[in-house]
Amino acid sequence: QQQVKQSPQSLIVQKGGISIINCAYENTAFDYFPWYQQFPGKGPALLIAIRPDVSEKKEGRFTISFNKSAKQFSLHIMDSQPGDSATYFCAASRDDKIIFGKGTRLHILP
Amino acid sequence: DAGVIQSPRHEVTEMGQEVTLRCKPISGHDYLFWYRQTMMRGLELLIYFNNNVPIDDSGMPEDRFSAKMPNASFSTLKIQPSEPRDSAVYFCASSLEISGGASDTQYFGPGTRLTVL
């Protein structure tokens, strides 16, 4: 009930391509779905977040797509750049609980 | 603002020794979180505080782990005695709210890399 399943574990994308990371959750009580970006040697930092009342949120090259009925959400990075190479975590939260996915290591080839 | 401050950044100790990790949250933040990150288990929430009071410590792995927040600007995570399987990166994070509002972003510190030999 409390798991957030994230895939893939690692992803290699050519510069300029689209990176797609998927997450699925089980608990329908979750009401906030953030994505965090982590560079080596640093702590995670909030990248973009969505609430279940919308199906999509876009900020620059980053888009979250949310499918409430399927209990899935995904991060799309358009025109991927080498600087996007990092580990990405999805999360789901409600009130006093936040659960993180296990992370996706993204590498953008120059 | 200096952000969340953690010390030490790296800690190497021998099995059985006591380890104390320190965190200074962002001023004005009501929530403080301690996380552990490993390759195998990802990012795990260990415990969090609201206004210096521990709210949920269900993620603390064993009694060897303890956390305190004596005031709004300081928290410690202690492992006694430490074991090799405790080797991980430990993050502290703080936020204004835990979720549900525009101020629910968690701000992470740079982490403490702990190695227990």
Side-chain angles (χ1 to χ4, degrees):
Chain A
Q1 274 277 319
Q2 298 287 16
Q3 277 193 327
V4 175
K5 295 181 180 178
Q6 183 172 347
S7 63
Q9 275 190 310
S10 61
L11 181 62
I12 299 174
V13 176
Q14 290 281 351
K15 178 182 175 181
I18 302 174
S19 303
I20 302 174
I21 304 170
N22 301 298
C23 284
Y25 62 98
E26 298 169 350
N27 189 342
T28 56
F30 289 134
D31 62 0
Y32 179 67
F33 301 88
W35 284 88
Y36 281 79
Q37 180 187 54
Q38 183 182 26
F39 293 106
K42 305 288 187 182
L46 181 68
L47 181 64
I48 186 173
I50 197 169
R51 300 199 182 281
D53 53 345
V54 296
S55 60
E56 185 175 283
K57 182 173 182 179
K58 184 175 181 179
E59 291 184 2
R61 296 183 294 108
F62 300 89
T63 300
I64 300 178
S65 297
F66 188 84
N67 186 330
K68 189 174 181 178
S69 60
K71 293 186 286 185
Q72 295 175 347
F73 58 110
S74 60
L75 175 69
H76 296 237
I77 306 175
M78 311 299 288
D79 187 26
S80 299
Q81 299 296 312
D84 298 329
S85 297
T87 299
Y88 292 82
F89 295 92
C90 64
S93 74
R94 163 107 184 169
D95 297 333
D96 63 346
K97 262 307 184 204
I98 182 165
I99 309 293
F100 283 87
K102 283 193 166 28
T104 297
R105 297 182 72 171
L106 174 64
H107 182 64
I108 307 301
L109 297 173
Chain B
D1 198 323
V4 175
I5 299 173
Q6 290 187 248
S7 65
R9 293 295 310 276
H10 302 273
E11 177 81 26
V12 180
T13 190
E14 292 188 347
M15 182 174 64
Q17 296 298 306
E18 177 180 295
V19 174
T20 299
L21 311 181
R22 297 172 175 80
C23 174
K24 176 179 168 55
I26 293 173
S27 177
H29 281 192
D30 296 329
Y31 288 87
L32 183 139
F33 307 81
W34 281 101
Y35 290 90
R36 177 172 68 176
Q37 185 177 34
T38 61
M39 289 295 293
M40 289 295 293
R41 302 174 69 91
L43 197 60
E44 302 173 277
L45 176 63
L46 301 177
I47 185 172
Y48 78 90
F49 296 81
N50 179 20
N51 292 321
N52 313 337
V53 176
I55 303 300
D56 184 354
D57 65 354
S58 60
M60 296 286 261
E62 299 171 36
D63 291 344
R64 298 183 296 106
F65 287 69
S66 62
K68 294 182 179 180
M69 192 165 185
N71 57 64
S73 59
F74 183 66
S75 177
T76 60
L77 177 67
K78 186 176 294 186
I79 308 173
Q80 166 63 21
S82 59
E83 296 183 4
R85 58 195 170 113
D86 301 330
S87 297
V89 180
Y90 291 81
F91 288 103
C92 175
S94 69
S95 71
L96 284 171
E97 293 183 17
I98 197 164
S99 79
S103 53
D104 44 13
T105 300
Q106 291 194 26
Y107 294 85
F108 284 76
T112 295
R113 181 173 295 277
L114 173 66
T115 302
V116 182
L117 302 174

